[in-house]
Amino acid sequence: MKPNNFYNFLQRLFVAALLMFMSFAAIAHGPKYTHLAKSAVIAEDVNGEWTADDVAAGKYDSRFSPVKEQVPNLNFTTSTFWIRLKVASGKKESAQYLLEAARPLTNTVNLYRITRNEAHVLYETGDDHVFNSRPITYRKFIFPITIQANDTLDLMFKVSSDGEVISMPIKLWDQTNFNAFIQRENLTLGLYYGLLIFVIGLFLFFAFIVKQRIYTFYVSYVAFLFFMQASLDGLAYEYFWPNSPWLANHSILFFSGASVFMIMLYAAEFLQLKLMPKWYGVLYRSLMVLVGICVITGLSSGMAYELTFPVINAMSLISLIIIMIGIGWNQKTHQNVNLFFALGFISVLIGGIVFILTNFNVIDNDFLSHNAIKLGSAAEVTFLSMAMVGRYRNIQREKESAQREAFENLQKLNEVTSEQNVKLERQVKERTAEIEEKSEELEEKNNEIIDSITYARRIQEAILPPDQLFESLLPRAFVLYVPKDIVAGDFYWLEKSGDQVLFAAADCTGHGVPGAMVSVVCNNALNRSVREFGLTAPEKILDQTAIIVDETFEKSTQEVKDGMDISLCTLGPIARSDKGVYRKLQWAGANNPIWVISKNDYQAQLGEAVLEEGELKLYEIKANKQPIGRYPNRKKYSRHEFTLNEGDCFYLFSDGFPDQFGGPSGKKYKSKNFKRFLLSINEHPMDEQKHLVHYEFHHWRGELEQLDDVCVIGVRV
């Protein structure tokens, strides 16, 4: 079947289903019973305090009044009503009858027989009882009674609700007519609910294919409408939750509110609410909020629950009116309202108005009271489904048009491409030859640059202390040096002056070639400070080094702000005392600190430990917050002098390790984690510590790029 024929078939199918439902609905509710309401009297027990025996004894006879309507609708109420009537068979022999009373949503429906002014309970039922407790397991309240020949039954009903409208049809059926009625009614209900199920299934498929939320909103609305109608008809209680009176009482409010909320979401999408006037959007959304509150209060109890019954009825009507206003405004402004969409809301508006008017007793019609919502919603679903089918057809047409246009553009592009290919092939050959020539030139220049940088590394390595010198002067120490590039801005420095060993970990501005050039200047300045000026105090060395670096960069025609951060030590000779071996350590720093790890308490010398693990304590001595290099308001560097005992460790380092990103979340390693790690490996020999620190760095970095040069010096006394 072609797509257009399929869409036309669906539209005809919906119309046929609607017409069939309406015709069978009219037939199913033909006059096959006897109305008894107008022969009854009724009294209202506002607080529900009367007893059946008192009513039967005539204590409240003055409060009773005749019933004027064929189907009494007692409005939204929490009162208890007592209804008395006499039923005579008119037959010469005993006969069985079925007495129908109250709508399916009534909480209490008790039937009594009055004999000699005493009330005898025949049946106690209602929505406050489990479904199977009914005398006849049917969605409505049906009571079997037997009337003897030429006898009259004096009957009394007690009915009450928790805030819903009490509708009190009283019908007398014979078994044959009742069975025939049920067959026709079941056919009508089958057509109605079958239509809803068909729409849910069909548009679930559309929602899955099209993936537009308007189809989801529409399917949700029809699903909630299905359960709302099933609750009104008593079918939900019979088939879905027969053992839950609470659900039987609360489901109608929940599904009523939910269906109104979803139809408003659906209409907002169809009408494009964001294009409507601002006042309309505010009013529309405010109403949706109120409906949402009703959905919640419909699951509560007490006064809020009672008030929700009339409020949700009013909200249903107001929401339909608001949507109709939106349809009118859209038509007036854009003249693009879908006819089926408008007819759908007109249908349900008419059905809703009629249903609400029957609830308020303005319209006294049993058929409309039972079927106004069904007829209106069946018409609505039919028209809205045709609108949605049309919308889907338009989407498919737009896709087909876009595909045709894309195909035509592709053909044109292919033609142009074919013409250009010949030109491009010729140009490619010419350009390829040029690129190959340029590539060879670039490769040659790149090799020259790499060779130059590699040679520069050899020069830089030449200014670093030899490993043999480091091992001889600091035998229980390690240096971890991991440049980011071929050459580095970080360097380590070592010098011997008399019986003192001077060493440092330095971090120059930048890395790579620029950093390496700065490191040469700074290394030379350190050497001059010791060799030329004869300085051994670390703070004096830093002061003089800063002067030399400033003088070097002042010769440049451009302002140079480069320099270095450094942690510098002067370690005295090994000495002994009664307490064991110790060494004096003098230290000064420019931005970079020194960390000391010991089992001894050095609070008097070094201050409070910043981290502890077992017996081990880590002390941090902070540096002066000024670099070696150009700096305004420069001050003299501070000297820190203290005594370390045998087994103590101290560490100098640049910021390359703590600032490295890595780990599971790609975050910085940070100084706090570095401190913990050094504490955890403190018991290992220094050569093993070097390998462990190196492994920890590469393990943390993982596949991420190394951000900076790394230099770490560890020394054990």
Side-chain angles (χ1 to χ4, degrees):
M1 184 180 292
K2 294 182 179 179
N4 285 338
N5 293 338
F6 175 67
Y7 305 137
N8 293 334
F9 167 75
L10 283 178
Q11 290 179 347
R12 293 191 185 100
L13 181 62
F14 282 126
V15 172
L18 174 62
L19 294 175
M20 190 180 302
F21 168 72
M22 294 176 68
S23 63
F24 276 103
I27 294 171
H29 292 82
K32 304 297 183 182
Y33 48 82
T34 302
H35 272 296
L36 301 179
K38 287 188 176 182
S39 62
V41 292
I42 187 169
E44 182 178 6
D45 174 10
V46 175
N47 298 316
E49 297 173 344
W50 301 357
T51 65
D53 288 335
D54 287 344
V55 175
K59 184 177 180 180
Y60 303 103
D61 282 356
S62 61
R63 307 282 291 274
F64 279 84
S65 59
V67 176
K68 299 178 181 179
E69 299 87 8
Q70 188 168 260
V71 180
N73 282 309
L74 306 177
N75 297 327
F76 299 98
T77 180
T78 57
S79 297
T80 299
F81 289 87
W82 298 86
I83 302 166
R84 294 188 59 172
L85 73 158
K86 296 182 184 295
V87 182
S89 72
K91 295 184 179 181
K92 295 181 179 180
E93 66 278 352
S94 174
Q96 298 286 334
Y97 293 94
L98 298 175
L99 189 63
E100 176 185 345
R103 64 192 305 208
L105 299 176
T106 311
N107 291 70
T108 301
V109 185
N110 294 346
L111 178 61
Y112 303 87
R113 180 175 182 178
I114 299 175
T115 306
R116 299 184 184 89
N117 293 330
E118 293 181 356
H120 303 278
V121 178
L122 296 181
Y123 305 104
E124 290 184 339
T125 185
D127 272 2
D128 283 343
H129 300 263
V130 296
F131 187 82
N132 288 334
S133 67
R134 299 185 180 188
I136 293 179
T137 52
Y138 180 60
R139 64 188 185 87
K140 298 179 181 179
F141 297 110
I142 306 296
F143 304 97
I145 60 174
T146 302
I147 305 178
Q148 301 298 329
N150 299 316
D151 191 14
T152 299
L153 295 182
D154 190 357
L155 301 177
M156 179 173 65
F157 284 102
K158 175 186 177 182
V159 293
S160 65
S161 178
D162 52 8
E164 174 64 295
V165 169
I166 293 181
S167 178
M168 194 61 190
I170 305 176
K171 303 174 184 178
L172 188 65
W173 298 84
D174 63 43
Q175 189 68 53
T176 303
N177 283 334
F178 185 74
N179 291 341
F181 168 77
I182 287 179
Q183 290 179 357
R184 292 193 296 272
E185 186 182 50
N186 287 345
L187 180 58
T188 304
L189 294 176
L191 288 171
Y192 176 74
Y193 289 108
L195 172 65
L196 298 186
I197 292 171
F198 173 72
V199 168
I200 292 170
L202 176 65
F203 287 100
L204 267 177
F205 172 75
F206 281 169
F208 179 77
I209 295 297
V210 179
K211 299 187 186 307
Q212 290 185 357
R213 60 183 184 177
I214 189 171
Y215 286 91
T216 304
F217 292 158
Y218 182 59
V219 168
S220 300
Y221 162 66
V222 178
F224 285 130
L225 176 65
F226 175 92
F227 281 102
M228 183 193 77
Q229 285 296 335
S231 298
L232 280 172
D233 289 334
L235 292 170
Y237 195 21
E238 181 177 0
Y239 292 108
F240 298 133
W241 39 81
N243 296 315
S244 177
W246 187 91
L247 280 176
N249 290 321
H250 290 76
S251 60
I252 181 61
L253 285 179
F254 175 79
F255 289 118
S256 296
S259 62
V260 174
F261 191 83
M262 293 311 302
I263 195 65
M264 293 191 74
L265 278 178
Y266 163 73
E269 285 288 313
F270 210 106
L271 293 173
Q272 294 182 295
L273 186 61
K274 59 185 178 182
L275 302 180
M276 303 291 279
K278 186 176 181 180
W279 65 266
Y280 183 84
V282 172
L283 179 62
Y284 198 98
R285 293 184 181 92
S286 300
L287 185 61
M288 288 188 67
V289 171
L290 293 176
V291 173
I293 293 172
C294 286
V295 173
I296 297 171
T297 56
L299 299 175
S300 65
S301 59
M303 182 62 70
Y305 173 73
E306 295 170 13
L307 289 176
T308 305
F309 282 104
V311 171
I312 197 63
N313 276 267
M315 289 294 173
S316 302
L317 181 59
I318 294 171
S319 66
L320 290 173
I321 293 173
I322 293 297
I323 292 172
M324 291 303 301
I325 292 173
I327 292 172
W329 187 91
N330 237 334
Q331 179 62 26
K332 181 180 178 180
T333 306
H334 305 295
Q335 295 184 346
N336 64 346
V337 173
N338 185 288
L339 176 62
F340 291 130
F341 181 78
L343 288 175
F345 282 97
I346 292 172
S347 301
V348 77
L349 179 62
I350 294 172
I353 291 173
V354 172
F355 176 73
I356 292 170
L357 291 179
T358 58
N359 277 350
F360 285 100
N361 258 348
V362 178
I363 296 177
D364 181 15
N365 186 288
D366 187 29
F367 173 77
L368 292 178
S369 176
H370 285 87
N371 295 287
I373 287 292
K374 284 194 188 68
L375 292 171
S377 60
E380 176 203 28
V381 168
T382 299
F383 289 128
L384 292 184
S385 296
M386 288 191 285
M388 296 302 289
V389 168
R391 185 185 182 93
Y392 179 73
R393 176 173 55 188
N394 292 337
I395 291 172
Q396 295 303 108
R397 285 175 175 172
E398 290 173 2
K399 285 184 179 179
E400 291 172 0
S401 177
Q403 288 172 350
R404 282 195 302 271
E405 185 177 350
F407 181 72
E408 292 172 359
N409 291 337
L410 182 61
Q411 284 184 318
K412 293 178 182 178
L413 181 62
N414 287 337
E415 293 174 1
V416 174
T417 303
S418 298
E419 295 175 0
Q420 293 295 324
N421 279 343
V422 178
K423 296 180 182 179
L424 287 174
E425 287 179 5
R426 183 173 62 253
Q427 292 176 358
V428 166
K429 290 179 181 179
E430 295 172 356
R431 296 292 173 84
T432 300
E434 294 177 7
I435 291 171
E436 288 176 352
E437 183 180 350
K438 295 291 184 182
S439 179
E440 291 174 359
E441 293 177 6
L442 288 173
E443 185 177 358
E444 184 177 348
K445 290 180 180 180
N446 184 59
N447 290 335
E448 291 175 358
I449 293 171
I450 296 298
D451 290 342
S452 298
I453 296 174
T454 303
Y455 189 76
R457 180 177 65 183
R458 291 164 57 191
I459 296 174
Q460 188 178 41
E461 289 174 349
I463 69 173
L464 295 175
D467 292 344
Q468 297 84 352
L469 178 62
F470 206 97
E471 291 173 2
S472 65
L473 296 180
L474 296 171
R476 301 177 70 187
F478 74 82
V479 177
L480 176 65
Y481 185 60
V482 186
K484 176 184 183 298
D485 302 311
I486 298 175
V487 290
D490 286 11
F491 69 93
Y492 55 97
W493 176 80
L494 178 69
E495 189 73 23
K496 189 175 189 305
S497 178
D499 58 357
Q500 293 181 317
V501 179
L502 292 75
F503 56 97
D507 180 2
C508 294
T509 306
H511 46 76
V513 173
M517 296 179 69
V518 176
S519 73
V520 171
V521 173
C522 294
N523 187 286
N524 181 60
L526 287 170
N527 289 333
R528 286 185 61 196
S529 298
V530 176
R531 297 171 186 173
E532 182 179 331
F533 292 91
L535 302 174
T536 58
E539 79 283 4
K540 300 294 185 183
I541 295 173
L542 293 187
D543 290 335
Q544 185 61 44
T545 300
I547 294 171
I548 296 172
V549 171
D550 283 348
E551 290 175 349
T552 302
F553 287 142
E554 281 178 357
K555 299 174 184 177
S556 173
T557 57
Q558 297 181 348
E559 183 180 5
V560 178
K561 297 182 180 179
D562 295 314
M564 72 172 170
D565 299 334
I566 188 170
S567 183
L568 174 65
C569 290
T570 300
L571 186 63
I574 298 174
R576 297 183 181 274
S577 68
D578 296 338
K579 297 181 180 180
V581 176
Y582 68 91
R583 297 185 80 167
K584 293 284 188 180
L585 181 68
Q586 299 176 4
W587 174 84
N591 287 331
N592 286 353
I594 181 174
W595 292 345
V596 178
I597 297 178
S598 175
K599 294 181 180 179
N600 300 309
D601 186 357
Y602 288 141
Q603 181 176 351
Q605 297 187 72
L606 305 177
E608 288 283 347
V610 296
L611 198 62
E612 295 186 27
E613 186 175 303
E615 295 181 327
L616 292 174
K617 302 178 181 64
L618 188 147
Y619 301 90
E620 179 178 24
I621 306 174
K622 295 185 178 179
N624 293 91
K625 291 298 181 181
Q626 58 183 24
I628 302 296
R630 184 162 296 180
Y631 187 77
N633 303 319
R634 176 176 294 282
K635 298 179 181 179
K636 297 292 185 179
Y637 286 96
S638 304
R639 177 171 67 176
H640 300 267
E641 185 172 346
F642 42 90
T643 302
L644 297 179
N645 293 310
E646 185 176 11
D648 294 341
C649 288
F650 59 92
Y651 299 90
L652 317 176
F653 51 88
S654 64
D655 60 3
F657 195 143
D659 288 350
Q660 178 61 45
F661 286 92
S665 304
K667 296 182 179 179
K668 273 189 180 182
Y669 191 84
K670 295 186 179 179
S671 296
K672 190 172 184 179
N673 291 325
F674 196 24
K675 291 173 184 174
R676 288 198 185 98
F677 177 72
L678 292 178
L679 273 174
S680 70
I681 65 171
N682 183 260
E683 301 295 335
H684 292 269
M686 300 310 286
D687 56 345
E688 289 185 19
Q689 286 193 32
K690 175 180 179 179
H691 293 300
L692 291 170
V693 173
H694 197 191
Y695 174 81
E696 176 73 1
F697 176 75
H698 284 287
H699 178 69
W700 176 261
R701 179 171 70 86
E703 299 297 324
L704 297 181
E705 178 186 3
Q706 183 176 338
L707 297 181
D708 201 356
D709 304 317
V710 173
C711 181
V712 181
I713 299 176
V715 180
R716 190 185 298 276
V717 176

